[in-house]
Amino acid sequence: MPGKSLPDAEQLLQALTDKMRPEVGPETGLIGIHTGGVWIAERLHRDLKLKVPLGTLDVSFYRDDYEKIGLHRDVKTSSVPFEVEGRHLILVDDVLYTGRTIRAAMNELFDYGRAASIRLAALVDRGGRELPVAAQFAGATIAAAPNQTIELRRDSNGRLELVMREN
């Protein structure tokens, strides 16, 4: 968006890591939501030195708008390589907006078992919630108009960048 620069994604990720560090134990299950949430979760998992393997979710089949939008062309597989039952979990997404992706992710997680707790970490909270969902950990809150999209991109070196575009 002309005239509005977004914060550095790498700095936001460091801030998010610092916020989470005192709240996360080595047995916490970290689960990234494809695609940007997985990128964030990979880095958090490494930097927080978690022992439990990293999980990933593709919530395409759990979306409440699946009937309307159909199957995306880039559907990934979900993988939760640890016991969910009774474990404290943190879902990780890149940009929190309406809350519908998080609702879909929780619905999918319930198929794996009953977690002790589920918290949410997002690199960016952009507001505009349609469901009662809140991030317990956020790198930053960035106001964006409904006709704007905030996207996380990763370059060939793995460096993260936030981009805002008009719809």
Side-chain angles (χ1 to χ4, degrees):
M1 173 178 175
K4 182 170 184 172
S5 65
L6 294 172
D8 180 85
E10 293 291 336
Q11 290 176 353
L12 291 182
L13 180 54
Q14 185 58 55
L16 181 60
T17 304
D18 293 343
K19 288 176 185 177
M20 292 176 66
R21 191 176 312 281
E23 304 289 326
V24 175
E27 295 300 321
T28 300
L30 200 63
I31 301 172
I33 300 172
H34 279 291
T35 295
V38 172
W39 299 340
I40 302 296
E42 288 169 343
R43 299 272 294 277
L44 289 169
H45 189 268
R46 181 195 71 202
D47 294 346
L48 294 169
K49 298 176 176 43
L50 300 178
K51 288 197 258 182
V52 176
L54 177 65
T56 62
L57 291 179
D58 185 318
V59 300
S60 297
F61 294 113
Y62 289 81
R63 297 280 311 202
D64 60 2
D65 56 359
Y66 178 77
E67 295 282 327
K68 184 167 52 170
I69 64 172
L71 189 60
H72 294 287
R73 60 183 167 83
D74 294 333
V75 174
K76 312 277 193 260
T77 58
S78 293
S79 170
V80 181
F82 54 81
E83 183 65 37
V84 167
E85 193 73 30
R87 187 178 304 275
H88 295 284
L89 303 177
I90 298 178
L91 275 174
V92 181
D93 204 4
D94 52 356
V95 179
L96 175 59
Y97 183 28
T98 64
R100 293 184 182 278
T101 297
I102 304 309
R103 184 213 51 84
M106 290 192 309
N107 281 359
E108 184 171 353
L109 274 178
F110 294 147
D111 289 347
Y112 288 91
R114 186 178 189 275
S117 68
I118 301 173
R119 294 181 286 173
L120 175 60
L123 187 65
V124 172
D125 181 342
R126 61 155 292 163
R129 226 64 85 239
E130 295 175 0
L131 299 174
V133 172
Q136 287 69 46
F137 310 102
T141 300
I142 300 172
N147 68 329
Q148 296 173 320
T149 302
I150 299 174
E151 294 177 355
L152 182 68
R153 295 185 182 162
R154 186 169 67 172
D155 69 17
S156 59
N157 296 322
R159 183 167 168 70
L160 301 174
E161 174 188 36
L162 288 170
V163 178
M164 185 179 290
R165 63 181 174 82
E166 302 285 329
N167 294 336

